[in-house]
Amino acid sequence: MSFPVPTSASAAVVGSFTEAAFAAHLARVAHLPAWWLDRKKAAYARFAALPMPKRTDEGWRFSNFAALTLDGFSLPEPVKLADVHHTAMGITGAGTLALANHRVVVSEPIAAEFAQKGVIFASLQDALLKHGELVRAHLLTQPSKLGSEKFAALHEAFLEDGAFVYVPKHTEVAVPFGVFHYAANAGTALFPHTLVVAEENAKVTVADFFRSANAGERQFICGGNDLFASHGAQITYVAMQDWSRETLALQFNATIARRDARVLSLNLHAGARQARHESFSQLQAPGAHSEMLALTIAHDTQEFDQRTLQIHQAPNTSSNLLYKNALLDRAKTIFSGLIVVDPDAQKTDAYQSNRNLMLSDDAEAHSLPGLEIQANDVRCTHGATSARIPAEQEFYLQSRGIRKAQADELLVFGFFEEVLGKLENQELHDRLSEIIRAKFKE
Amino acid sequence: MKPPSETDAVDATVENPVAGIDQSAGNFSYDVNYEFDAGTGLTENTVRYISSVKKEADWLLEFRLKALKTFLEKPLPTHWATKDLENINFDKIRYYLAQGQKPKRTWDEVPDDIKKTFERLGIPEQERKFLAGVEAQFDSEAAYSNIKEAVAKQGVIFVNSTEGLREHPELFRKWFGKVIPTGDNKFSALNSAVFSGGSFIYVPPGVKVSHPLQAYFRINAENFGQFERTLIICDEGSEVVYMEGCTAPKFSTSTLHSAVVELVALKGAKIQYITVQNWAPNVYNLVTKRGLAMEDAEIKWIDCNIGSRLTMKYPGVVLKGERARGEVISIALANDGQHQDTGAKMIHAANNTTSNVISKSISVGQGRATYRGQVHIPKNLKGCKNNTECDALLINTNSRTDTYPAITVRGDKNATQHEASVSKVSEDMIFYMQQRGLTEAQAMSLAVNGFINDLARQFPMEYSVELKRLIDLEMEGSVG
């Protein structure tokens, strides 16, 4: 093998992701461009060399480490469309792509009107072969900064396929692209990725759906997405995470917004046993805006760990973060967010808010909202609250014959509406609501 | 002993054209012949020396030695705190310096050089004017300690910690090291190993001390470490207000101040602890302060941090009894080269406990102000509430501020809210004031004083005035 060989000491911590596993993976992607394979080899070397995060690391404060094991997983085996019970969930979009265990199982062609304008919607492997330079310029170009450097390297090393959306200058795609990532079979390790590139003044909406083929299967997911908005571009990205309740899921987002660009990302966290989501937004030029939204509906013993970073690198940029968590049963959420304003980023307007709705006496919420401000002419604020539904509101609903469970559901929807209402697309709004509603039926 | 001289006094009489007060009131020092000097560096011998000089009981020596071991074992907390901590050279610090003085009960008895220090800082006037008692600590030991007769007659004890340990062991030992265990952090362990001085206060049940008690801490020597240890116990239904002031002269070498302050408010008691700290810019001020509030008790920390090179201080309250209440009101001002890393901890440990944190910081020049907070509400408690508000004001383009709160809530019967904001002084406001004839510096001082005004009003009037003056001084020359 030509890639750097890790030392035996560090190899001991890589769990299932041994050199042999990596060699097997490389064999599966050998047809892809050499530059990409070289990057994967370098990523594997990083993964092997980096230590596992420790409980005492600030970036992992309050996380449950007992569940964080990389043992017992294997690379995905091919599955058929029928095995994953694919449904487009009513999304009538500009194009649909479904990947099951990293293989494309559905590829609805992009509407002709968009194809003619140069819009690309393809699997990542297709894009690597046909639009290599475009992918190379934007795929995984931002370093991981929120504690998961080792897992980000693992993601790059084993990333096999995903989705690529490219919208050229001055092109608007009014309807969303739908991307479905399915994991099938117990013990499968999956590394999904979605790359969205919007050139100058382009506008696009992309929806990612993350689902397991069957309930009860334990999988390891280490996914990522890159959102790149060039000057004046607008990206709306919605991710609906609904993995099986046994799954361990990590997801890394990197957003870049250039001059006057606007990026809205909304992440719904519903599935997995333990899920960690890291979101890193860079506001690189004046006028850039990033809207970072998340809804978490946590029940049973689920743990959702959310780490965010808003970096303002230029003057006159703005960002708004709103993470709302509803906690039932013995669920646990962690929110750790940081707004960083660089010394030159005067006139920054940044906000960060984490709201936790406690619906159970056993639920546990941790909030660590942070600010690091190095310029003085700014407006930066943050807020965090943790509280229950006021007793009088519950009483009001119950006194009108609504049972407690139903009342909770109604109140959670009321709580979430502030975020859901920011979505302009009704279909996506409905899909999100459907997944949230389903949680109350479990 | 060498007679006191002012040859070392530096810039002692520069007038402040804005506020009309002495710009560097604390910036002078005297040559003192110390009778007891533990030398530089920290070993078991240093600890044994301090303990023998103070003629301590065996259990206390053992306590100190165990603490030393903990201190040596614990790493510096640089995984979350500033790396500037690594610049402290523990081997160059002098851990105990005293003239062999026992605290005097009248000013006449205090040695001339020390008396001059405190007279210059205005301590006797303050005592006469509005204090119920005062203790003045010079380097490692209390030089003067007095309590008004009427207060003493009520059974209130106000002595230094050495005397407290010796004269009132039954009261002292019960709570000593209980609120802040030795191993709480590296600096609490250090203090436990080498502590000297500090206050011991006991207020009997139902006694409400009408006027504040005050302690004044003065670092005179270069390369010195001051490690006072304070324990205040308010018995059931009693009340006390305690104020401390701190100064040190400017030396080119760094000085360490590492105190441990433990407060115990028994059922229904109230303790208010006020600090106005104006350390010189060479002082590392690494302090652990915590209170234990029992049923219906209230502990309020009012903390004003100006000066020092690095301050790390997070006053906390453990709300142990039902309906206990904790409060931290904090003002920090970080000027060029200074880092005020301050905050608050509220640990709720009983039902219906409430806590409130209000923190305001001002960063001037390239000063850095950090708020670090912890709010903890464990499972199965109900009716607990916390409110935290942090506001930061940035004066110059490259001022810096950080906010790092950590809030943990378990269960659905409690509520927390945290809000923080960062802003600068409005240009319109400065323009308005300049239009009316104020200089830019005067306008800025007024704006900054307005920013902290609602908190400054909670200080006793004398301190509030002093605070305003200190801010005026810090703001001078800071704009433009």
Side-chain angles (χ1 to χ4, degrees), chain B residues 413-433:
Chain B
K413 298 178 179 65
N414 308 293
T416 63
Q417 59 178 20
H418 170 100
E419 276 183 32
S421 74
V422 177
S423 57
K424 69 167 203 167
V425 176
S426 125
E427 282 164 17
D428 292 351
M429 197 195 286
I430 299 295
F431 177 72
Y432 178 89
M433 287 189 273

Side-chain angles (χ1 to χ4, degrees), chain B residues 11 29 46 106 247 261 286 292 316 396 436 475:
Chain B
D11 296 326
S29 65
T46 322
T106 70
T247 63
V261 177
L286 311 166
L292 192 60
N396 305 86
R436 273 140 192 84
M475 296 313 298

Side-chain angles (χ1 to χ4, degrees), chain A residues 28-98:
Chain A
R28 287 157 70 144
V29 295
H31 59 291
L32 296 176
W35 66 264
W36 174 233
L37 301 183
D38 287 344
R39 272 182 53 179
K40 289 169 90 56
K41 289 167 192 169
Y44 186 78
R46 276 203 311 282
F47 163 71
L50 283 164
M52 277 291 274
K54 301 186 297 296
R55 187 183 292 276
T56 50
D57 290 347
E58 192 58 25
W60 289 81
R61 201 167 164 191
F62 302 120
S63 285
N64 173 17
F65 259 70
L68 195 74
T69 170
L70 300 186
D71 293 323
F73 297 107
S74 55
L75 298 184
E77 296 297 329
V79 287
K80 294 191 293 294
L81 176 62
D83 297 333
V84 295
H85 323 291
H86 170 67
T87 158
M89 295 184 75
I91 296 294
T92 51
T96 302
L97 191 67

Side-chain angles (χ1 to χ4, degrees), chain A residues 13 27 39 70 72 86 88 90 168 178 190 193 217 219 224-225 239 271 350 352 383 391:
Chain A
V13 299
R39 272 182 53 179
L70 300 186
H86 170 67
L190 214 61
H193 196 96
E217 287 177 348
Q219 285 134 0
N225 65 282
Q352 179 195 67

Side-chain angles (χ1 to χ4, degrees), chain A residues 56 58 61-62 338 343 346-347 355 358-389, chain B residues 79-80 368 373-374 379-381 390 394-424 427:
Chain A
T56 50
E58 192 58 25
R61 201 167 164 191
F62 302 120
L338 187 61
Q346 297 290 1
K347 307 276 183 199
R355 313 277 174 213
M358 314 296 285
L359 294 156
S360 151
D361 200 23
D362 292 315
E364 182 176 324
H366 302 269
S367 287
L368 300 99
L371 301 172
E372 282 180 6
I373 313 296
Q374 297 182 70
N376 71 325
D377 191 3
V378 298
R379 193 173 70 177
C380 294
T381 47
H382 70 201
T385 54
S386 298
R388 60 174 294 172
I389 294 166
Chain B
H79 62 287
W80 60 266
R368 178 178 175 189
Q374 188 184 5
K379 204 179 147 185
N380 297 334
L381 293 189
C390 311
L394 298 168
I395 301 297
N396 305 86
T397 319
N398 293 323
S399 305
R400 175 171 180 172
T401 184
D402 318 302
T403 312
Y404 308 108
I407 305 152
T408 294
V409 181
R410 293 187 175 90
D412 63 353
K413 298 178 179 65
N414 308 293
T416 63
Q417 59 178 20
H418 170 100
E419 276 183 32
S421 74
V422 177
S423 57
K424 69 167 203 167
E427 282 164 17

Side-chain angles (χ1 to χ4, degrees), chain A residues 108-182:
Chain A
E108 283 180 12
I110 185 171
E113 57 169 315
F114 300 124
Q116 280 163 10
K117 288 178 182 170
V119 176
I120 302 167
F121 178 56
S123 74
L124 207 51
Q125 283 209 3
D126 270 0
L128 278 160
L129 292 168
K130 292 178 191 161
H131 312 282
E133 286 311 304
L134 208 48
V135 175
R136 188 178 190 172
H138 300 101
L139 180 65
L140 292 167
T141 54
Q142 303 311 310
S144 169
K145 285 192 169 204
L146 291 162
S148 290
E149 290 74 5
K150 187 175 181 74
F151 302 111
L154 181 70
H155 170 72
E156 186 167 356
F158 284 90
L159 196 176
E160 195 167 315
D161 208 350
F164 176 60
V165 179
Y166 174 81
V167 186
K169 286 180 187 176
H170 311 298
T171 304
E172 184 175 325
V173 184
V175 281
F177 288 103
V179 183
F180 297 82
H181 303 270
Y182 291 98

